[in-house]
C-alpha cells in the first residue's frame, strides 16, 4: 500500500531524497542519514528515543563523531522550519534524547482516499462530459444579460402633452440604462489563465481560470486539500507516461474542475462541478483521485518509436537465428 508522510506541510519524498512543500512546491534536499533519521523519528512519533537508540537505528553501529546526531537534528529543524529555541516539532528531552511530536505528523495512504463510494458524497454533484480537445483551454463565455424593456401605455387623448413628456423621460432613462449595461459588459476583462506552482509534480500542470469580478484566489486552499492526492496521481501518471493539465475556477462555494489527459497517441478530458467543496477534504480527495484514475486507465497504451524499433529488431534477429538453425 503506497503511503505518503507529511510533517508540518512538508512531504517526505524518499525517491528524490528531499522535502517538498505542499503549498509552494519548494524542494529541500536532505542527506542520506538525515532523511533516515527523520523517518525513524516519524515511525516513533510521540516517543522519546535516546541518543544510543537513534545512533543504532540510523547509523547501524557505525563509528560516528559525537556531534553527528546533534548536527543532523539541527539540519532537520532548519528544513522543517522548526524554531531551535522553542522546538515545537523536534524536541530535545534533557538527559534522555529526542522526540518528534505526533501532532505534526500525517501519514496518508491511497486507502484513505479510495474508501468513500461515489453515491456517499454528500452535497456534491458530478457532471461528466467529453468536452473540447485539451488544447482549447478557454473557459466558456457567458451570454450577455439582455436589458428589460419598459413598455408605455398609450397616451390619453385628454392629456397628450403629459404622456408625451412621460414617454420622452422613459426613453432617456432606458437609453442611459443600456449605456451602463453595455459599458459594464464590454469593460469586463476576459478570463485569465494563471498557472500555479507545479514544481512538485513532473506530469501535472495546474492552471487557475481567473474571471472578472472574482475575488481572491482559491488555489492555496485547493492545494492544501489535494496535495497528497496529486502527488500519488503524479506517480501513476509517470508510470503510464501520461500528462495531465488541471483547469479550475471557483464561484462562491462551487468548484469547476477540468482535467485533460494526453499521451503520444490518445487524449481524454473530464469536467466536474462540485458544490461545497471546502466542507469535506477527504471526500473531495476521494472524488478527484477515483475519477482521475478511471480516466487514466481508459487511456490507450502507446508504443514509442524506440520501443517499436526494438520489437522489430528482436523479430528480425529471431528470424535470422531460425534460418541459421535450418542450415
Amino acid at each position: 500500500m503506497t503511503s505518503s508522510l507529511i510533517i508540518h506541510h512538508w512531504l517526505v519524498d524518499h525517491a528524490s531524497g528531499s522535502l517538498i512543500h505542499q503549498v509552494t512546491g519548494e524542494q529541500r534536499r536532505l542527506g542520506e542519514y538525515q532523511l533516515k533519521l527523520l523517518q525513524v523519528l516519524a515511525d516513533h512519533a510521540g516517543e522519546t528515543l535516546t541518543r544510543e537508540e537513534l545512533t543504532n537505528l540510523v547509523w547501524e553501529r557505525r563509528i560516528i563523531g559525537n556531534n553527528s546526531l546533534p548536527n543532523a537534528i539541527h539540519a532537520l529543524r532548519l528544513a522543517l522550519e522548526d524554531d531551535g529555541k522553542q522546538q515545537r516539532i523536534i524536541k530535545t528531552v534533557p538527559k534522555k534524547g529526542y522526540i518528534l511530536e505526533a501532532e505534526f505528523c500525517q501519514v496518508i495512504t491511497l486507502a484513505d482516499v479510495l474508501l468513500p463510494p461515489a453515491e456517499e458524497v454528500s452535497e456534491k454533484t458530478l457532471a461528466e462530459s467529453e468536452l473540447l480537445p485539451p488544447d482549447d483551454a478557454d473557459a466558456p463565455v457567458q451570454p450577455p444579460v439582455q436589458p428589460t424593456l419598459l413598455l408605455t401605455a398609450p397616451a390619453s387623448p385628454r392629456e397628450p402633452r403629459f404622456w408625451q413628456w412621460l414617454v420622452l423621460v422613459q426613453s432617456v432613462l432606458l437609453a442611459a440604462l443600456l449605456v451602463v449595461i453595455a459599458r459594464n459588459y464590454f469593460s469586463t476583462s476576459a478570463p485569465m489563465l494563471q498557472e500555479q506552482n507545479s514544481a512538485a509534480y513532473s506530469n501535472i500542470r495546474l492552471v487557475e481560470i481567473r474571471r472578472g469580478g472574482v475575488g481572491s484566489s482559491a488555489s492555496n486552499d485547493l492545494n492544501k486539500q489535494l496535495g497528497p492526492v496529486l502527488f500519488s496521481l503524479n506517480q501513476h501518471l509517470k508510470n503510464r507516461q501520461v500528462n495531465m493539465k488541471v483547469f479550475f475556477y471557483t464561484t462562491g462555494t462551487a468548484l469547476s474542475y477540468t482535467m485533460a489527459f494526453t499521451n503520444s497517441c490518445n487524449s481524454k478530458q473530464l469536467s466536474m462541478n462540485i458544490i461545497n467543496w471546502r466542507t469535506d477534504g477527504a471526500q473531495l480527495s476521494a472524488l478527484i483521485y477515483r475519477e482521475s484514475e478511471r480516466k487514466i486507465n481508459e487511456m490507450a497504451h502507446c508504443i514509442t518509436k524506440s520501443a517499436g524499433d526494438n520489437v522489430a529488431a528482436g523479430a528480425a534477429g529471431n528470424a535470422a537465428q531460425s534460418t541459421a538453425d535450418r542450415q
Side-chain angles (χ1 to χ4, degrees):
M1 182 68 65
T2 304
S3 61
S4 301
L5 172 63
I6 300 176
I7 301 177
H8 191 48
H9 305 303
W10 289 92
L11 175 69
V12 180
D13 185 14
H14 289 276
S16 62
S18 59
L19 301 178
I20 301 175
H21 199 277
Q22 290 300 284
V23 177
T24 65
E26 179 185 354
Q27 188 171 3
R28 296 181 178 179
R29 294 192 177 277
L30 297 177
E32 175 185 357
Y33 293 107
Q34 294 171 359
L35 190 64
K36 190 172 181 180
L37 174 61
L38 182 59
Q39 185 64 51
V40 170
L41 289 171
D43 292 340
H44 299 80
E47 302 178 16
T48 301
L49 297 178
T50 64
R51 293 173 59 95
E52 182 179 359
E53 289 174 334
L54 290 173
T55 301
N56 293 336
L57 292 173
V58 177
W59 283 272
E60 299 177 353
R61 299 187 180 276
R62 289 182 175 86
I63 300 177
I64 61 174
N66 294 331
N67 294 328
S68 296
L69 179 58
N71 289 340
I73 293 291
H74 178 70
L76 291 180
R77 285 171 175 161
L78 290 178
L80 295 172
E81 299 176 334
D82 188 15
D83 192 331
K85 295 181 179 179
Q86 296 183 356
Q87 299 178 6
R88 297 172 53 245
I89 303 175
I90 302 177
K91 294 184 177 181
T92 301
V93 182
K95 298 182 180 180
K96 291 186 179 181
Y98 300 94
I99 181 174
L100 175 62
E101 292 294 343
E103 61 181 292
F104 293 97
C105 297
Q106 182 182 9
V107 178
I108 298 180
T109 62
L110 293 185
D112 296 333
V113 297
L114 292 177
L115 283 178
E119 51 270 20
E120 292 183 2
V121 179
S122 60
E123 298 183 352
K124 295 182 176 66
T125 60
L126 171 64
E128 175 182 350
S129 61
E130 295 297 333
L131 305 178
L132 297 174
D135 292 335
D136 187 0
D138 294 334
V141 179
Q142 299 294 334
V145 178
Q146 298 295 336
T148 302
L149 301 179
L150 302 177
L151 301 180
T152 58
S156 172
R158 297 181 180 180
E159 299 177 349
R161 293 185 178 180
F162 172 78
W163 289 110
Q164 289 176 357
W165 281 105
L166 181 59
V167 171
L168 178 61
V169 171
Q170 289 180 344
S171 301
V172 172
L173 293 177
L174 180 59
L177 177 62
L178 292 174
V179 170
V180 172
I181 293 176
R183 180 179 299 175
N184 291 337
Y185 174 72
F186 289 106
S187 63
T188 302
S189 59
M192 299 177 55
L193 302 180
Q194 182 176 356
E195 185 167 357
Q196 303 300 322
N197 191 337
S198 305
Y201 318 110
S202 60
N203 291 57
I204 298 177
R205 286 182 57 195
L206 300 174
V207 180
E208 183 179 12
I209 302 174
R210 301 299 302 275
R211 292 169 173 255
V214 177
S216 59
S217 171
S219 61
N220 289 340
D221 295 339
L222 195 63
N223 282 336
K224 288 180 180 179
Q225 293 191 23
L226 298 183
V229 173
L230 292 178
F231 180 80
S232 299
L233 281 176
N234 187 71
Q235 303 301 317
H236 192 25
L237 290 165
K238 186 185 299 183
N239 295 335
R240 293 290 299 273
Q241 297 182 350
V242 176
N243 293 318
M244 180 175 74
K245 292 182 182 179
V246 177
F247 302 90
F248 67 92
Y249 68 89
T250 58
T251 305
T253 60
L255 168 66
S256 177
Y257 198 89
T258 301
M259 296 169 287
F261 304 88
T262 59
N263 59 16
S264 59
C265 65
N266 196 7
S267 63
K268 288 187 179 295
Q269 190 160 331
L270 174 68
S271 179
M272 296 186 293
N273 293 320
I274 305 172
I275 307 301
N276 296 334
W277 61 275
R278 286 188 174 93
T279 58
D280 194 328
Q283 292 187 352
L284 175 64
S285 299
L287 182 66
I288 295 297
Y289 187 91
R290 181 173 55 252
E291 296 302 321
S292 301
E293 185 182 46
R294 181 173 62 83
K295 278 296 177 184
I296 294 172
N297 293 334
E298 292 176 0
M299 299 286 290
H301 290 272
C302 301
I303 299 178
T304 61
K305 185 178 184 302
S306 59
D309 293 342
N310 292 336
V311 172
N318 292 336
Q321 182 65 34
S322 177
T323 302
D325 292 340
R326 288 196 300 270
Q327 292 176 354

